[in-house]
Amino acid sequence: MSRRFAHLLLICLIAITAIGCSRAKRDANLKANAPTGTAEFGLWVQPETAAESFQTVAEATAFFDDLKEQKVSTVFLQVKDRQGDVIFATKHAAAIPGAEHLLANAARGANAAGVQLIAAYPVFVGNPRPGEELIEYTYDESAGHARVQPRESGPLPRLNPSIRAVRDRELAILRELAAVPVDGFCLTHAGYPGSQADFSDEARAGFEAAMARPVKVWPDDILGFRPGEHRPVAEPGDLWEAWVSWRASLLRDFLFQAQGALTVGTEVRRPVLIMAEGYYPLHYRQGVNWASPAASVQKAFPSAPPRYGGTGTGAIFDGVVLELLAPIPTIEEAVANEMAWWSSAEGASRLASELLPPDATRWAAVTPMPFADSEGNLSSGAREAFLRSTHECARANPGVLVLDLDYMNGWGLWADVQGALAR
């Protein structure tokens, strides 16, 4: 089998060889379709802030009034915390104690203030039930060999998309979320945490059923390890391309159901967005292909498996929130650092404009955190780089979403970000 897809493991070090005429074409397309004026200003708000600010409708209204004065047009309110508890009434998930009313209060307050409220729901986030854990294939240095084992929860516990019961519970919760009168929805964390999960029995059974034959050597026929300079590194096996396409197909089918859970049977059709890593050639690791099925995926992503293009979800959703968190503002800077052109905020935005339907809403999600030093300080140079990255996102996308409120307050970024949003 061709090892072309294995190149993705080193893709951030790819030298640029084809910027020339393709760059000129992208520049012409962007100029013809570039937004004008000032980008929409969106702000991410955590559940902890909701608990402090939305205990009453009056408090919520005052909160959104303050944000409107800061030129914020849209708030993405995260409605589920890291443990999987929510801030709205539900029978299928645990609510944060005393928080069942917070989203309803926020919806009324945002409406009164004239601010758009998007309920952001982290789909496969939360503490898994026993027997439903994600299973990772990793190299155990202490044992000296690779092993399949449950994924450690870490700071962000994740649910297993491969398990039907997990998917069904998430759909039931989304149907309850649809009853809250917000202005729209955004699904986040709608895939796998990385390419080394999930290798559970459920994932194996689903993959083998799709191939109509068993995997002879599990999981090495999909993913193995080879010696590296300092430690063994993951290397795709003969079935890797089929595996990547199968995961993307499973998630595409689930996301079609998720979109329906939020829209079917509701009185008003509200937009549903998906949030995903904005650097498209890397997002295969999470399994969600956010491009349009009609997009020329192989042209933008030469190493993609042939069947990967058919797994696109771009036509399912009303738009995409692109996480553009790498501290590289422009294509020129990416190339100068021997990085792929699309690893910059400018380049990733341009690539997204080619891969999504022309009428799709695009938000670029940015945060100053990757620009800060190890002690959490934002130097003047880092601040300037973050603002340039934000400006590049504003030039190429209708809206910019800043993650999150605490950073804006802590580093006093309000006025600077407003200036960066001007095109």
Side-chain angles (χ1 to χ4, degrees):
M1 177 199 91
S2 166
R3 294 288 183 179
R4 56 194 173 84
F5 201 61
H7 295 165
L8 287 171
L9 299 176
L10 299 174
I11 203 158
C12 279
L13 298 176
I14 290 176
I16 305 307
T17 60
I19 288 284
C21 62
S22 60
R23 168 80 181 276
K25 184 177 180 180
R26 289 189 187 97
D27 286 345
N29 289 341
L30 183 66
K31 185 175 181 180
N33 299 295
T36 57
T38 300
E40 292 291 319
F41 186 1
L43 187 68
W44 189 275
V45 173
Q46 300 278 0
E48 295 79 5
T49 300
E52 299 170 357
S53 305
F54 303 150
Q55 289 297 332
T56 67
V57 175
E59 289 177 335
T61 303
F63 178 89
F64 289 108
D65 279 336
D66 288 343
L67 292 185
K68 190 173 183 179
E69 288 185 9
Q70 298 290 347
K71 310 301 183 185
V72 174
S73 64
T74 306
V75 167
F76 288 71
L77 174 58
Q78 183 179 326
V79 299
K80 181 184 184 184
D81 69 10
R82 294 171 182 267
Q83 285 68 48
D85 299 338
V86 301
I87 60 170
F88 57 92
T90 172
K91 298 178 181 178
H92 295 91
I96 297 173
E100 298 91 342
H101 61 296
L102 295 181
L103 181 56
N105 286 352
R108 293 175 64 185
N111 182 63
V115 173
Q116 295 286 305
L117 181 64
I118 305 296
Y121 183 80
V123 183
F124 297 117
V125 168
N127 294 313
R129 297 184 181 185
E132 295 182 351
E133 298 88 355
L134 279 159
I135 305 299
E136 282 189 325
Y137 190 42
T138 59
Y139 192 86
D140 188 333
E141 293 189 72
S142 61
H145 59 78
R147 61 189 299 179
V148 174
Q149 59 187 5
R151 178 180 184 267
E152 295 183 7
S153 293
L156 186 66
R158 296 294 294 270
L159 305 177
N160 191 341
S162 303
I163 298 176
R164 178 177 292 276
V166 172
R167 300 196 301 270
D168 288 345
R169 273 198 302 274
E170 292 305 299
L171 291 173
I173 297 169
L174 290 175
R175 293 186 189 100
E176 294 174 315
L177 176 60
V180 184
V182 294
D183 297 300
F185 307 94
C186 179
L187 302 181
T188 79
H189 298 82
Y192 295 90
S195 57
Q196 291 179 223
D198 166 57
F199 287 94
S200 64
D201 292 341
E202 290 81 0
R204 180 176 185 175
F207 181 52
E208 291 180 336
M211 290 200 308
R213 62 183 176 89
V215 177
K216 292 181 179 180
V217 183
W218 176 268
D220 296 83
D221 282 352
I222 296 168
L223 186 70
F225 291 86
R226 61 172 175 79
E229 184 177 353
H230 301 292
R231 55 168 297 174
V233 295
E235 181 178 55
D238 290 344
L239 295 178
W240 175 253
E241 293 187 1
W243 171 256
V244 168
S245 297
W246 171 75
R247 292 200 318 166
S249 297
L250 180 145
L251 291 170
R252 175 202 58 202
D253 295 345
F254 167 78
L255 290 169
F256 178 79
Q257 294 178 294
Q259 191 269 359
L262 292 168
T263 58
V264 174
T266 58
E267 293 184 6
V268 179
R269 169 68 168 83
R270 292 163 291 177
V272 182
L273 312 177
I274 186 168
M275 187 174 192
E277 183 175 23
Y279 309 102
Y280 182 77
L282 294 181
H283 197 59
Y284 76 94
R285 298 175 300 187
Q286 282 74 48
V288 178
N289 177 7
W290 48 258
S292 166
S296 182
V297 169
Q298 258 70 30
K299 180 181 176 182
F301 183 18
S303 298
R307 288 179 288 177
Y308 192 69
T311 65
T313 62
I316 295 174
F317 296 100
D318 298 285
V320 175
V321 179
L322 304 164
E323 292 182 274
L324 301 178
L325 309 185
I328 308 171
T330 66
I331 292 175
E332 183 178 0
E333 288 168 285
V335 174
N337 286 284
E338 298 186 332
M339 304 289 283
W341 65 271
W342 46 257
S343 64
S344 64
E346 177 190 12
S349 298
R350 294 187 179 197
L351 182 56
S353 69
E354 297 178 5
L355 293 173
L356 291 168
D359 59 345
T361 298
R362 284 200 323 276
W363 287 86
V366 300
T367 174
M369 196 61 199
F371 296 82
D373 62 24
S374 59
E375 297 181 354
N377 299 313
L378 196 67
S379 67
S380 58
R383 186 187 190 97
E384 190 269 339
F386 165 66
L387 293 171
R388 284 196 297 110
S389 185
T390 300
H391 182 63
E392 291 298 335
C393 289
R395 290 179 60 224
N397 299 281
V400 174
L401 170 62
V402 179
L403 312 171
D404 59 55
L405 178 62
D406 289 343
Y407 297 142
M408 293 292 291
N409 288 334
W411 283 317
L413 289 166
W414 288 104
D416 289 340
V417 166
Q418 289 172 19
L421 296 181
R423 302 186 178 103

